[in-house]
Amino acid sequence: MTEASPDTTAAQEPLPRNAEDYASVAFGAWTEGDEGLLVRLMTMEARQVLADASLDAAADWEFDRCEGAAGSTYCTWTGPDGTLTFRVANQDAGQGEEHAITETLVAGG
C-alpha cells in the first residue's frame, strides 16, 4: 500500500474572514516564502507585482495601518526599502474566499 502525500489528503486551512487578518496572513506568507498560500490569497496580478518588486522580505518591516475605501481595505507595511500595500476586497475576504487581495502597491522598491 502506498502512502498518499499530505498535499492530496490534507484539507486546506480556512482563510481569514476579515480584511485586516487576510492582509496580515498574506504579509506573513510573503516574509516566510510560502508561495502556495500566496497563490490562494492573491490574484495572479497582485502576486506578479509583489514578485517583481525589489523589496527584501527578510528586512525589518513594521505594520503601518489598514484603511477602508469603497469596498476595499488597504493595509500597509513600511520597511527600509519602501512601503508595501495590499488591497483586499472586503466582501471576498469576509466570506473567506480565495484571491481577495486584488492589488499590490509598492513605493520605493
Side-chain angles (χ1 to χ4, degrees):
M1 176 180 228
T2 60
E3 187 174 297
S5 74
D7 292 336
T8 60
T9 59
Q12 289 186 332
E13 291 290 320
L15 297 176
R17 296 184 71 91
N18 72 60
E20 290 186 27
D21 289 345
Y22 205 102
S24 180
V25 167
F27 183 82
W30 174 63
T31 61
E32 295 167 15
D34 189 342
E35 195 64 33
L37 185 53
L38 289 175
V39 166
R40 292 185 65 205
L41 296 169
M42 304 176 84
T43 63
M44 184 175 63
E45 295 83 4
R47 283 193 327 275
Q48 189 61 53
V49 170
L50 185 59
D52 291 346
S54 59
L55 298 174
D56 181 3
D60 185 22
W61 290 90
E62 289 189 30
F63 174 74
D64 186 9
R65 68 184 174 280
C66 288
E67 295 181 323
S72 296
T73 298
Y74 293 83
C75 294
T76 302
W77 288 262
T78 302
D81 298 330
T83 62
L84 172 64
T85 302
F86 293 141
R87 177 183 177 196
V88 184
N90 293 337
Q91 183 173 352
D92 291 344
Q95 295 174 3
E97 297 290 330
E98 293 190 352
H99 310 125
I101 296 178
T102 59
E103 187 175 17
T104 299
L105 305 166
V106 176

